[in-house]
Amino acid sequence: MYNQIKDLPLSKQVEAISRALIEVESVNGTSGEANVANVIKKILLSFPYFSKHPEHTFEVHVPDDEHKRKNIFALLKSHKGHKQTIVYHAHMDTVGTDDYGSLKPSACDPTILENFFKNYAFDSKAREDAQSGEWLFGRGALDMKSGIAVHIANLLYFSEHIDELPGNLLLMINPDEESQHSGVISSIPELNRLKSEENLDYIMAVNTDFISPQYDQDPNRYIYTGSAGKLLPCFYIYGRETHVGDTLSGIDSTLVSAEINRRINNNLELTEDIKGEHILPPSCLYAKDQKERYNVQTAKSSQLYFNYFIYELSAKDVMDKLKVITEEACEEVTHKLASSYEAFTKQVGIPNYSQSWGIDVQTLEEYIQYLRSQGIEVADIIRKAGVQYKNLEPRIKGFKIVETLQLLDPDKKPRVLLFFGPPYLPHNYLQADNSRDQTLLEVIQANLSKTQEQTGESFAIKRFFPYLSDGSFLSLHESDEEISSLLQNFPDYEYTYPLPIKEIRDLNIPSVNMGVYGKDGHKWTERVHKPYSFDTLPMLIREISVELLSIYEHTSVKCFSSVH
């Protein structure tokens, strides 16, 4: 690859690398992720610096991964023995290609797709973009093979102009961003190893995940100085089953589930009030009763979980809030059930037998404490259930463990148990009282102003990347108490989702997203804008990197990293 691109201008270098990566299908959860990792490593090793120092390009495998996926690292070290280091990171996996329909065989061929869309009558915007020649189409073109290409092109430049680099660059390309984030999670120990053994001080991470217009005719190129976090709050709902011929005497778990869903799903009142940010409400990702086949019995139990973005709130804040909402939902349902039963008995002229309509609401942590008060030690039970259900989809495994615990209740009370399932993503954002973070922000603002004057681009700085990002795993803001609340409500945490909390806290790297610009991420019309993404953006990242490393070169790092 080096011989093909060494004499090309920057924008053509980035395009050539982008095309080479797009052509390798790397759908999440397939062996294609390992294939594209091999291509990335081959490209890097073709560069003179890395062919001379092959030990600086290496792999870190995702443990116990059936697809043999791996992370690719490349370390470019300053000649002057500097500690200060910037991490360039991106992900190599993509979503699937079924949405391309009859074009699926060509989903990774930018040339065929561009020619197709030039004459596509049903999407005028895609057609106009294809005809302009300024857009590159294909699965992964935007999300985010072109983002990898930006980093590789900059790494190539600095490897040939090492004297311009007042510090070190570490390239980290991860698999599995579109699902469980196992790539970046398995990279955290490696980042800490390099920090210790290579004497690196990480001052910033730059992610190039894609950015898009937020509304029609949006002129802005967005720079995100942090990443939103994510929780997956889960609800195991145990009711009182009954024959449909006596339906009003039961507590239908689906009715409880529906009421909880109504109160949480897309509820804007649950969004955090952060001015100027793209803040999203929780959304339901799964709602199902546990009947496996038809019968005339009402559903005894139901399961429910939500995608819940967190920006400044902690997992404890969210759990406390959702518990109150669930209690209110159960009160609404019990009132309705009691009223309906009373009205029914009057209507048919039968005695109103005393019924219990109460529904307990507890977090998993509270329920475990209750079981222990009954003389039941649950640790071994949880672990045995975890082993029994280890091959299940991770979220379903969590429900099975909670169901196992629910069956230990001697009274078999109707109950809603709240807990967390995977994945959990911490939020990572710049803090106003941290001098390191504020220095970083000042450098970004100054360079955006300069680039805006030079290019006419319009920039807007936001605090939170509006999509899920691997940058979330590079720092941790929650206190030990808040993290403990999360883990105590996460069934079989150490085996289901073994997130290295301490190691993330030790890293403490701010991750800024300066992404490639395009349209229709995760759609078959996915495309990246070449003039900005292949020319303006890599130069912007390059200049910010040099300026920030220069500041640390002449200033004690402790001055900036002492505030956590």
Side-chain angles (χ1 to χ4, degrees), residues 442-452 454 459 539-540 543-545 547-548:
E442 290 167 8
V443 169
I444 291 172
Q445 290 171 329
N447 279 273
L448 291 182
S449 296
K450 182 174 68 174
T451 301
Q452 189 163 310
Q454 294 173 343
F459 291 98
M539 286 301 301
L540 176 63
E543 290 166 1
I544 289 175
S545 298
E547 183 171 344
L548 192 63

Side-chain angles (χ1 to χ4, degrees), residues 105 152 158 177 187 195 218 226 231 252 359 374 379-380 398 429 464 498 527 541 553:
I152 292 177
F158 283 118
E177 190 267 358
S187 294
K195 178 180 177 181
D218 183 358
L231 296 167
D252 188 345
I359 304 172
Q374 303 299 305
D380 289 343
Y429 55 90
F464 297 100
R527 57 201 184 275
I541 293 173
E553 181 183 23

Side-chain angles (χ1 to χ4, degrees), residues 248 333-344 352 355 357:
L248 289 169
V333 170
T334 55
H335 175 74
K336 178 178 179 179
L337 291 173
S339 298
S340 296
Y341 184 73
E342 182 179 2
F344 172 74
N352 185 352
Q355 294 276 4
W357 303 105

